[in-house]
Amino acid sequence: MTIVGRFEIEARQYLDVQGRALQTLPESAREPELLVSLYRQMVLARAFDQKMLALQRTGQLGTFASGLGKEAIDIGVTSAMRAEDSLLITYRETVAQLARGVSMLEILLYWGGDERGSNYAVPRTDFPVCITIASHCCHAVGAAYAMKLRRQPRVAVCMIGDGASSKGEFYEALNGAGTWQLPVVFVVTNNQWAISVPRKVQSAAQTLAQKAIAAGIPGIQVDGNDLVAVRQVALEAIERARAGGGATLIEAVSYRLADHTTADDASRYRDADEVAAAWQREPIGRLRNYLLGIEAWSKSDEEALLRRCADQVQEATQAYLDHPAPAPAQMFDQLYASLPAALAPQRRQALAKGTADAAGHAG
C-alpha cells in the first residue's frame, strides 16, 4: 500500500473561556487600545441585536435572525479586512455589517421590508444580504475572479453557516476557488445548529474545516468565541489571499444562543442545559475578563459604554420609526437598474393599488 497524501487540521485558540491567555498573544492583539475598540463594537452590536428582537416582537420589524453569540466572529473577521475588500454575507451577519460601516438605520430599514436599506452609503463594495442558502459562495468566487483578472489587491470574504456547508454551491465554490487560486476567504460559522438540525446530523466530517482539503486549499478551525484567535486567523488568510496565495476555509466554532429566527422556537428541539453551558463560553464576557485582567477596562468603563450603546441604539430606532414608508414602486426600483419587461405590469398594478389605497385613506 502507498500513502499518497496525509492531512491535518489546525485548531487555534488564545483565550480560554475565563478570558485567560493560553499562550503569548499574536502581534495583532498586543495593543490594549485596539482590543478595547473591538470590545466596544461587540457590546454595541449586542445591544442593537436585542433591540431588533424587541422591535420584531412588538410588530415593528419583520422576521429577524439574531446574531447573538457570534460577535467575535463577525468583528474578528471584518477587523482583518480592508475597506476596498468585499464582504458577502447571509442573514445572520448584522454584526459584520455594522462593523463594515452599514448604519443601524439602513439595517433596520432592510429588516422592516424597505429595500432602500440594502443601498448602503458605505461600504459600496459589499454585497447585499443573501437569503438563499450558500448561493453567495458562488458569487464570492465570481467577485474574486474579477479581482484577479483586474489585478486588484482586493479579497472577497464569504460568511456562511454550518448548514450551508452541506450545500452543493458551497462545494462548487470551494472547487473553483482552489482550481483558479482566487483571492477569497470562506468563513463558516459552526454554531452547532442548522435551524433544528444539530451539527452531528448534518455531516459525518470530523471538522468542517477539512472540507477544504478536497478543494486543495488550506482549512483551519478556530475558537469562534475567542476574538483574538478569529482576528489572527482571518488576518493570515486575507493577507495570504491578497498576496496571491489563494483561498482559505476558516471554520469558526461557536454556538447559536438565540432561536434560528424570530419565527422559530428552539426550546422545542434544544436542551436548556446545553444552552446554559454555551453561555459560559460566550465571546463578550471572555474578552471583557481578559481586558479587566490586564487593567485595560474597568467597571465604570463598562457602565459608561452600556449607557452610550443604549442611547445610540435608541436614536437609530427612532430614526427608523420616523422614516417615511416606501412607495409601492420602491421594491422594483431598488432591485433593478432596468426593469425586465415581464415585471412592468406588476409595477403598474402596485402603483395603481398604492394610489387607490391612498385615496381610500383620504376619503
Side-chain angles (χ1 to χ4, degrees):
M1 181 178 71
T2 302
I3 304 298
V4 296
R6 295 185 186 278
F7 308 97
E8 293 181 338
I9 295 296
E10 175 190 353
R12 196 84 65 88
Q13 182 184 15
Y14 289 96
L15 301 180
D16 69 9
V17 294
Q18 282 81 37
R20 297 172 300 205
L22 293 167
Q23 56 178 304
T24 303
L25 298 194
E27 187 69 32
S28 63
R30 292 179 189 168
E31 294 182 14
E33 295 79 8
L34 172 65
L35 293 181
V36 167
S37 173
L38 299 177
Y39 175 73
R40 291 177 187 276
Q41 292 184 48
M42 293 168 69
V43 173
L44 176 62
R46 182 166 292 186
F48 184 52
D49 185 279
Q50 295 306 295
K51 186 65 175 181
M52 293 185 77
L53 283 173
L55 288 170
Q56 195 282 331
R57 296 304 188 201
T58 53
Q60 298 174 95
L61 203 69
T63 300
F64 174 62
S66 170
L68 183 66
K70 71 188 295 283
E71 295 88 353
I73 299 172
D74 287 19
I75 300 294
V77 169
T78 53
S79 68
M81 296 174 65
R82 294 181 184 173
E84 64 269 26
D85 294 335
S86 288
L87 180 66
L88 298 95
I89 58 168
T90 184
Y91 43 76
R92 204 178 300 284
E93 275 75 46
T94 299
V95 179
Q97 285 186 293
L98 275 177
R100 288 285 288 169
V102 181
S103 73
M104 290 184 188
L105 174 59
E106 290 167 332
I107 294 172
L108 286 164
L109 288 174
Y110 170 78
W111 287 99
D114 189 334
E115 288 296 336
R116 290 174 295 183
S118 293
N119 188 19
Y120 321 136
V122 290
R124 299 298 293 178
T125 56
D126 285 5
F127 282 49
V129 175
C130 180
I131 300 297
T132 310
I133 303 300
S135 62
H136 66 304
C137 296
C138 299
H139 304 162
V141 166
Y145 208 141
M147 293 169 183
K148 183 172 182 176
L149 286 175
R150 294 171 179 171
R151 301 181 185 277
Q152 295 173 327
R154 299 172 54 205
V155 178
V157 177
C158 180
M159 302 184 76
I160 65 171
D162 48 70
S165 74
S166 298
K167 296 281 287 184
E169 293 94 327
F170 171 75
Y171 290 102
E172 292 164 9
L174 244 61
N175 190 64
T179 302
W180 298 317
Q181 203 169 4
L182 299 179
V184 56
V185 175
F186 299 94
V187 181
V188 177
T189 294
N190 177 1
N191 68 15
Q192 314 301 323
W193 290 92
I195 310 183
S196 59
V197 181
R199 156 71 177 88
K200 62 184 178 184
V201 176
Q202 297 173 45
S203 172
Q206 184 177 354
T207 72
L208 301 182
Q210 72 196 63
K211 295 186 178 186
I213 295 172
I217 65 175
I220 184 169
Q221 189 183 79
V222 65
D223 185 335
N225 293 337
D226 177 353
L227 177 123
V228 173
V230 174
R231 175 174 159 77
Q232 179 60 26
V233 167
L235 276 169
E236 293 171 8
I238 290 171
E239 290 313 310
R240 177 176 174 275
R242 199 184 312 282
T248 299
L249 170 61
I250 299 171
E251 176 193 3
V253 180
S254 183
Y255 192 87
R256 194 190 77 207
L257 292 171
D259 296 330
H260 173 64
T261 69
T262 49
D264 176 43
D265 178 6
S267 66
R268 297 172 59 190
Y269 54 81
R270 204 165 60 177
D271 187 81
D273 292 340
E274 177 183 304
V275 180
W279 270 105
Q280 301 304 310
R281 305 188 296 272
E282 68 90 20
I284 290 183
R286 187 184 304 195
L287 184 56
R288 179 173 58 241
N289 287 342
Y290 175 74
L291 294 173
L292 289 169
I294 62 172
E295 298 183 349
W297 196 245
S298 68
K299 183 179 178 181
S300 61
D301 290 332
E302 183 75 12
E303 292 172 348
L305 174 61
L306 293 175
R307 286 195 298 271
R308 282 197 298 274
C309 290
D311 291 344
Q312 193 171 343
V313 170
Q314 184 55 40
E315 182 179 349
T317 299
Q318 195 58 53
Y320 162 68
L321 296 175
D322 293 342
H323 207 75
Q330 284 286 346
M331 70 180 87
F332 299 95
D333 298 343
Q334 290 291 327
L335 193 58
Y336 296 100
S338 299
L339 188 68
L343 294 182
Q346 288 188 27
R347 187 178 187 277
R348 286 196 296 272
Q349 291 170 7
L351 284 174
K353 187 176 187 306
T355 302
D357 290 347
H361 286 303

